[in-house]
Amino acid sequence: MSEPILISQDLKKSFGEIEAVKGISLQVARGEVFGLLGPNGAGKTTTISMLTGLLEPSGGQITVDGLDLKSHTNEVKAKMGLVPQEMALYMSLSARQNLMFFGRIYGLKGKELRQRVDEVLEMTGLTDRADDPVGDYSGGMKRRVNIGAGLLHKPQLLFLDEPTVGVDPQSRNAIFESVEALNRAGMSVIYTTHYMEEAQRLCQRVAIVDEGRIIAQDTPTALIRSLGGGVVLLGVSASAPEDLAERIAQVPAVKSATRSDTYPAGSTGGQLKIETQRLQEALMQTLDITNQLDVRITSLEILEPNLESVFLHLTGKKLRQ
Amino acid sequence: MNALNIAYKDLMMLLKDRGQLITLFLVPIGFILAFSAAFAAGQELEAQVIAVPVVNLDPGGEMSTLLLQQLNDDRGLQTEDYDQAQAAADLSDETIKLVLTIPSGFSADVQAGKQTTLRLAYGPAASDSEVQAVRLVVDGIASDLSLETQLVGGLSQMGAMMGDAPAEVRVFTAERIATQAESQFERAKTTPLVALSAKWPDQITQGREDFNPSSFGVAGFAIMFAFLSAQTTAASIFEERKEGTFRRLLAAPLGKWELLAGKMLPNFFLAILQMVIIVAASLVLLPLVGQQAPTLGNSPLGLALVTILVALCSTSLGILLGALCRTESQVGGISSVFLWIAGMVGGAFIPAFVLGDFLNAIGKVVPHYWAMQAYNDLMLRGGGVGDILLELGVLAGFAAVFFAIGLRRLRFA
Ligand SMILES: Nc1ncnc2c1ncn2[C@@H]1O[C@H](COP(=O)(O)OP(=O)(O)OP(=O)(O)O)[C@@H](O)[C@H]1O
Ligand SMILES: [Mg+2]
């Protein structure tokens, strides 16, 4: 395997008292779409800010394409493209003016610049509206310009920070397709999101981030397989016996059963999180026990094995409420 | 190169912002026209002539004739001859407000270098400002006379001036003196005359002779608005931060210095352009509306240097405001108020010597004051670069301090 395009070692960042990133190490292979998954405030944007050189890390090291970011800052920055989480565009300028400006900043000029701008406008489907002020665009169109502006200089490594937030399903699909097309053309991508299905579709490998740490890092399939089976969330009334979780855990098909009182918020009873490799069997045996003990079931939720349940398994938290 | 790209982008955005353009260029010109009209109206009021009854006990004397001539040359005064008894009677029944008495032998005494006394008597009908005005003019001319003739004398102590007033009037004026300008009067008793009279008239004559209201107004507004345009820089930095475009710029292969220079360049040139346009428009427009055109003095180099430093100062102030302001209203309203007040105490609207010692002292902490002093030296007093070195230095200092603090406080990400 060739040398990774990006290596980060023990990256840390504190904002005063807040330790936003507590030591993140990851490697992104060339030509890979790498996902950074995590809930709000996990430290994804902070990590990306450090990786793209706009935030000084409190500790750790970043190497891009074999060059140290700190000592070769501008050289490294030229290899990377950033699509910020927010719409980072000049709203009073047109899409073309925005793209021309950001292209120039990355050193493009003359005919090459105009050509790239035209290509990107074409790719984002904005050729017709290219000369209208961006402020007049719809949210989805702005998103597309926002992405286009990060692509002009054909970066080797593209960072996309939650590019689909607030986007309708159709535009979202268009964004997926362009990411896939760019990736086929050889671009490495770091993609942050808190939508697990996006990561599952796009990313060859994902790192799951929570509270400033990577808690798992692998291919989506491997992560799901490690969990196996599925997860059952079983809501029970307050009258359920204390040792219900332990009893259910005895069931052969059940891998683990734990009581989590945090979900769902406001419920009077408790909630059991039951993990299993054999979903159907485990579910039936569990219900046998609750029937025997005359426990009233208040809710039942089955999580198909996916990255969402991996996250739940690892953190005891749902990604989104 | 990238600095130029950023500057070009900012200018493009500015050109799309009509409100901003109007604020930068049309508002100042409107202000100047309104201000000079108001000032002209004020001058007409001031031009009301104060009648000064004079009892000349030295008729035909060389010095007394000269004194009367000079008193009448002053646009604000008109002397009228009175006989001594008549004047005393009219003063006590308040048909006249004050009387200036030239003592007999005045010319001979002045020429002989002997101390002599001009007496200014005034009754209750005289307003403070009238008495003060006459006193200042007489003081000034008398001291000029005495200086010209290399003689001590002219006016005597203010206490002595009361000599001719009727007793009941005297009591009244004594109160007046106490409340009005006691310390001045006290000093007058102990200080030699020349020293006393040289103090006041200097300012008055300087104010009157050199004061071209157009030059003053134009310089003041040029400074005021050049500093207000610091908000343009501040707002564009704030905007970049708010919209997140700063993040893109910081992720680009681009030095912090290029970024800062790019943000500063447009405002720097705009401020210069703004000042040039303000002056040019004033030269053309003020005469069209019947006002005096500003005089520019005779040091183009000096004007250029002050203008460049004012622009630099305003631009660094913009960086500082951009770094400090955390909300839209801080960038807009609050810094506006701050900049207008700075312009006021810095003497951009009202001549510093009118503001009084206290405000004048405060004014020195704002760059407006120094810019105003420099322009006044150049435009009103015809000075050259050599006369404004201190002001240039102070302005450069302000620019450096603003920039240094701004750079430290500017959080890029
Ligand atoms: N400039 C800052 N100053 C102080 N705290 C910060 C700053 N930037 C981020 N944080 C804190 O660091 C933590 C991580 O924030 P970050 O924006 O990296 O999260 P995220 O994973 O991108 O979340 P989201 O999904 O909401 O975008 C949060 O607790 C946030 O409040
Ligand atoms: Mg984020």
Side-chain angles (χ1 to χ4, degrees), chain B residues 304-321:
Chain B
L305 287 176
V306 184
T307 306
I308 287 172
L309 279 174
V310 167
L312 196 62
C313 220
S314 151
T315 314
S316 329
L317 182 62
I319 298 287
L320 178 62
L321 290 177

Side-chain angles (χ1 to χ4, degrees), chain B residues 21-59:
Chain B
L21 287 179
I22 290 174
T23 317
L24 283 178
F25 295 108
L26 289 185
V27 171
I29 293 169
F31 259 92
I32 288 172
L33 291 177
F35 176 84
S36 64
F39 203 95
Q43 268 193 322
E44 265 156 38
L45 281 182
E46 195 184 286
Q48 273 181 348
V49 172
I50 302 174
V52 183
V54 175
V55 174
N56 188 356
L57 301 178
D58 181 33

Side-chain angles (χ1 to χ4, degrees), chain A residues 44-45 85 161-162:
Chain A
K44 304 182 295 292
T45 299
Q85 183 169 358
D161 195 355
E162 301 195 28

